[in-house]
Amino acid sequence: MKSFGVASIAAAAFSGALFAISVTAALPPIVIKGSHFFFENGTEFFIRGVAYQQDVNSNGSTSTTGSFTDPLADSAGCSRDIPLLQELGTNTIRVYAINASLDHSACMQMLQDAGIYLIQDLSNPSSSINRNDPTWTTELFADYAAVVDAMANYTNVLGFFAGNEVSNDVSNTNASAFVKAAVRDMKSYIKTKGYRTIGVGYATNDNADIRIDLANYFNCGDAADAIDFWGYNIYSWCGDSSYTESGYDQRTAEFANYSVPAFFAEYGCNQVQPRQFTEVQAIYGKNMTGVWSGGIVYMYFQETNDFGLVTVSGETVTKLADFTALSKQLALATPSSTNSANYVVTNTAAQACPATGANWAAASALPPIANADVCTCMVTSLSCVAETGLSDNTTASLFSTVCGLDKTACEGINTNGTTGVYGAYSMCNSYQKLSFSLDQYYKNQNKASTACNFNGQAKTQSGSTSSSCSSLLNQAGSAGTGTVTTAPTGTGASSSSGTSTKKSAAGAVIIPRLDMGLLQLSIYLFVAGIAGGGMILL
């Protein structure tokens, strides 16, 4: 799988002007020690990266169409572009979204042959954690895990991003709890599947109000829950700026004691054009290489945002002035490196978790592990379940009805990233969560015959619990307010019957919050009066 001879060649080439080698065997994996990346032979690895993807929305919002182009499934495009990436001196690309069901072997082999590593985002425009209504669900878990499965066996996969700029200002920092849960579960999944150690990180924007809290939050607490590396999308060096004018000196000081590798996941301000990329000498210079592990230029393709290095028309590629400038700057960059054997890790302590307050709203307690088996076992055990095939609007109406009538019926599905209180079944799909709430209501009504009907939208069943489910359900508790610590063993979302919402948080089904005021409760009761007139009140 790996060759130390190849590693030596790659390391030597990188320390010179270009990382332009031709290899026929698999590239050696990049490993993490302390806050630095290394080849397996001990030579330090600095990212000389380029973002490589067209037409993708990847910043914590949700596309209405969900469409995007998977560049790693386009062998013709890879054949066209990879020689130019080599010419730039690129050793890493970042891809924001792939279709895990497609074949990526041709492009990954071409990248291998060119000595280029990959950092792959796990989300895509229609399956992501939405900053405005964040959730972490078994459906998202299955989609993220599918990306891991598709890429993990390629040794030139450097790592995965579990999110990109999801929390991007003070108003949505609560979303970070759900992204950190994704980090935790993907790290656990990689380990459970027996893949080689592959890091999972997060890429943040450069917002002065939250950047320190964000970096601390994703690094704090149990190492099993924390990021393995930190990506910083930063555009503060514009034109012929400087180490101090750009604020690079301050950012470097802030990360001086960070315990995992940090790098620029995007850089390349375009306010002054053509870009000269004079920041390259700082990024790979003596003031920064002790703290930062390089960076990724945004971006290869010229689009309406005017950040491109090249224009592409069919099979014709035209280099822009930015391409030439970046190539020259990377050729001049000769970072001094430390051999792994001589590197003594001193910054071993994780950062302290930020306290919730005016500028930070993510609790240290994370949403439950997205274990689809828990949801399947729960639905099988119920005495009252929702009818299958309900529309999103009908499902939303039923949630409003049952949670308005009986708040305790919905405690097991509630989620609050600020208080850190989560129901054990809050990561299940909407059908499963609705069925749990209906069953709780039914039981609280002493299983009255009229309490599991809801105008023909619910039905009774003979619930059962297998021996393999007993432990999971005991951990969740009868009210669904316990904590299940068992990690999933499979990849798929639960296949319980019924409909489910969109995998992104922009789906139509709204589950009422349980910390609602009296006015909100009265609205739910009004809805209940319309939609479920025959039901028994508490």
Side-chain angles (χ1 to χ4, degrees), residues 94-118:
R94 177 183 178 186
V95 173
Y96 294 90
I98 63 166
N99 182 338
S101 67
L102 299 180
D103 181 10
H104 304 98
S105 58
C107 283
M108 291 304 294
Q109 185 60 55
M110 283 184 253
L111 290 169
Q112 290 263 13
D113 293 344
I116 296 175
Y117 290 85
L118 168 70

Side-chain angles (χ1 to χ4, degrees), residues 290-351:
V291 174
W292 301 98
S293 295
I296 299 170
V297 169
Y298 189 84
M299 72 113 53
Y300 182 78
F301 297 98
Q302 175 71 320
E303 297 182 302
T304 56
N305 59 12
D306 207 21
F307 278 93
L309 300 175
V310 303
T311 59
V312 177
S313 178
E315 293 305 307
T316 302
V317 180
T318 303
K319 300 176 189 175
L320 300 177
D322 288 13
F323 182 100
T324 302
L326 177 61
S327 179
K328 289 179 179 179
Q329 291 290 349
L330 287 173
L332 294 171
T334 55
S336 59
S337 61
T338 301
N339 190 278
S340 176
N342 299 325
Y343 170 46
V344 178
V345 180
T346 57
N347 48 339
T348 57
Q351 306 299 306

Side-chain angles (χ1 to χ4, degrees), residues 297-513:
V297 169
Y298 189 84
M299 72 113 53
Y300 182 78
F301 297 98
Q302 175 71 320
E303 297 182 302
T304 56
N305 59 12
D306 207 21
F307 278 93
L309 300 175
V310 303
T311 59
V312 177
S313 178
E315 293 305 307
T316 302
V317 180
T318 303
K319 300 176 189 175
L320 300 177
D322 288 13
F323 182 100
T324 302
L326 177 61
S327 179
K328 289 179 179 179
Q329 291 290 349
L330 287 173
L332 294 171
T334 55
S336 59
S337 61
T338 301
N339 190 278
S340 176
N342 299 325
Y343 170 46
V344 178
V345 180
T346 57
N347 48 339
T348 57
Q351 306 299 306
C353 293
T356 55
N359 291 330
W360 188 255
S364 299
L366 301 180
I369 296 169
N371 188 341
D373 293 338
V374 175
C375 304
T376 301
C377 289
M378 175 267 288
V379 172
T380 302
S381 73
L382 303 179
S383 300
C384 177
V385 296
E387 285 285 358
T388 60
L390 299 179
S391 69
D392 282 351
N393 287 339
T394 299
T395 300
S397 177
L398 278 173
F399 271 125
S400 296
T401 299
V402 71
C403 296
L405 289 170
D406 184 356
K407 289 174 64 175
T408 64
C410 295
E411 289 178 352
I413 62 169
N414 191 36
T415 183
N416 190 315
T418 300
T419 63
V421 176
Y422 312 96
Y425 302 117
S426 60
M427 45 56 182
C428 300
N429 69 39
S430 61
Y431 169 81
Q432 294 162 338
K433 288 187 283 192
L434 178 60
S435 292
F436 176 79
S437 299
L438 293 171
D439 186 73
Q440 289 286 294
Y441 177 79
Y442 179 57
K443 290 174 180 175
N444 289 342
Q445 297 298 313
N446 296 315
K447 296 186 176 182
S449 59
T450 54
C452 184
N453 183 278
F454 291 81
N455 292 331
Q457 295 166 345
K459 62 182 180 181
T460 58
Q461 69 173 20
S462 298
S464 62
T465 301
S466 67
S467 57
S468 61
C469 287
S470 295
S471 174
L472 297 177
L473 297 180
N474 286 338
Q475 291 176 65
S478 59
T481 54
T483 300
V484 180
T485 59
T486 304
T489 56
T491 63
S494 174
S495 58
S496 290
S497 58
T499 59
S500 61
T501 61
K502 289 282 289 181
K503 286 168 279 192
S504 68
V509 174
I510 304 298
I511 300 173
R513 287 169 55 94

Side-chain angles (χ1 to χ4, degrees), residues 78 87 97 109 131 140 152 171 269 294 360 368 370 432 484 518:
C78 289
E87 184 179 333
Q109 185 60 55
R131 66 171 68 97
L140 283 172
S171 69
C269 171
W360 188 255
Q432 294 162 338
V484 180
L518 291 177

Side-chain angles (χ1 to χ4, degrees), residues 29-356:
I30 301 302
V31 297
I32 294 172
K33 180 179 179 180
S35 57
H36 295 270
F37 292 115
F38 295 93
F39 290 102
E40 286 187 327
N41 72 344
T43 303
E44 189 169 1
F45 178 85
F46 292 95
I47 294 170
R48 297 190 182 204
V50 173
Y52 182 72
Q53 185 144 29
Q54 290 178 286
D55 303 322
V56 67
N57 178 21
S58 57
N59 61 353
S61 58
T62 304
S63 167
T64 55
T65 64
S67 63
F68 63 94
T69 300
D70 181 346
L72 299 182
D74 178 9
S75 58
C78 289
S79 180
R80 176 195 65 210
D81 297 329
I82 288 174
L84 290 171
L85 291 168
Q86 271 188 294
E87 184 179 333
L88 273 172
T90 303
N91 68 1
T92 306
I93 61 169
R94 177 183 178 186
V95 173
Y96 294 90
I98 63 166
N99 182 338
S101 67
L102 299 180
D103 181 10
H104 304 98
S105 58
C107 283
M108 291 304 294
Q109 185 60 55
M110 283 184 253
L111 290 169
Q112 290 263 13
D113 293 344
I116 296 175
Y117 290 85
L118 168 70
I119 298 176
Q120 178 63 58
D121 287 55
L122 294 173
S123 61
N124 68 59
S126 64
S127 185
S128 63
I129 297 171
N130 189 302
R131 66 171 68 97
N132 297 316
D133 186 15
T135 59
W136 174 239
T137 66
T138 56
E139 295 163 301
L140 283 172
F141 176 97
D143 285 350
Y144 286 25
V147 175
V148 171
D149 289 339
M151 308 308 292
N153 288 320
Y154 297 109
T155 59
N156 59 331
V157 172
L158 192 156
F160 300 106
F161 277 134
N164 180 69
E165 299 187 4
V166 180
S167 293
N168 66 350
D169 61 40
V170 171
S171 69
N172 50 45
T173 57
N174 63 308
S176 287
F178 299 89
V179 181
K180 192 170 180 180
V183 171
R184 174 202 63 202
D185 288 359
M186 288 300 100
K187 289 176 62 171
S188 175
Y189 179 73
I190 290 169
K191 185 176 181 180
T192 298
K193 290 285 287 186
Y195 294 132
R196 65 179 173 86
T197 300
I198 309 174
V200 179
Y202 177 75
T204 180
N205 69 319
D206 183 30
N207 183 291
D209 294 327
I210 63 173
R211 60 189 171 205
I212 293 177
D213 281 342
L214 268 171
N216 291 348
Y217 182 77
F218 279 92
N219 181 245
C220 75
D222 191 334
D225 302 343
I227 44 101
D228 296 311
F229 52 78
W230 185 248
Y232 200 177
N233 300 344
I234 181 169
Y235 294 87
S236 61
W237 187 303
C238 299
D240 192 16
S241 188
S242 69
Y243 180 62
T244 53
E245 184 182 352
S246 65
Y248 278 19
D249 60 334
Q250 298 174 50
R251 305 293 81 78
T252 300
E254 289 163 0
F255 281 85
N257 294 314
Y258 212 57
S259 64
V260 299
F263 58 91
F264 289 179
E266 293 176 4
Y267 75 92
C269 171
N270 67 349
Q271 291 181 13
V272 178
Q273 293 189 340
R275 294 182 289 179
Q276 295 303 310
F277 293 107
T278 53
E279 66 265 46
V280 166
Q281 302 313 311
I283 292 169
Y284 301 99
K286 62 181 181 179
N287 290 325
M288 296 184 66
T289 53
V291 174
W292 301 98
S293 295
I296 299 170
V297 169
Y298 189 84
M299 72 113 53
Y300 182 78
F301 297 98
Q302 175 71 320
E303 297 182 302
T304 56
N305 59 12
D306 207 21
F307 278 93
L309 300 175
V310 303
T311 59
V312 177
S313 178
E315 293 305 307
T316 302
V317 180
T318 303
K319 300 176 189 175
L320 300 177
D322 288 13
F323 182 100
T324 302
L326 177 61
S327 179
K328 289 179 179 179
Q329 291 290 349
L330 287 173
L332 294 171
T334 55
S336 59
S337 61
T338 301
N339 190 278
S340 176
N342 299 325
Y343 170 46
V344 178
V345 180
T346 57
N347 48 339
T348 57
Q351 306 299 306
C353 293
T356 55

Side-chain angles (χ1 to χ4, degrees), residues 6-21:
V6 170
S8 300
I9 295 169
F14 177 75
S15 65
L18 294 175
F19 190 78
I21 61 173

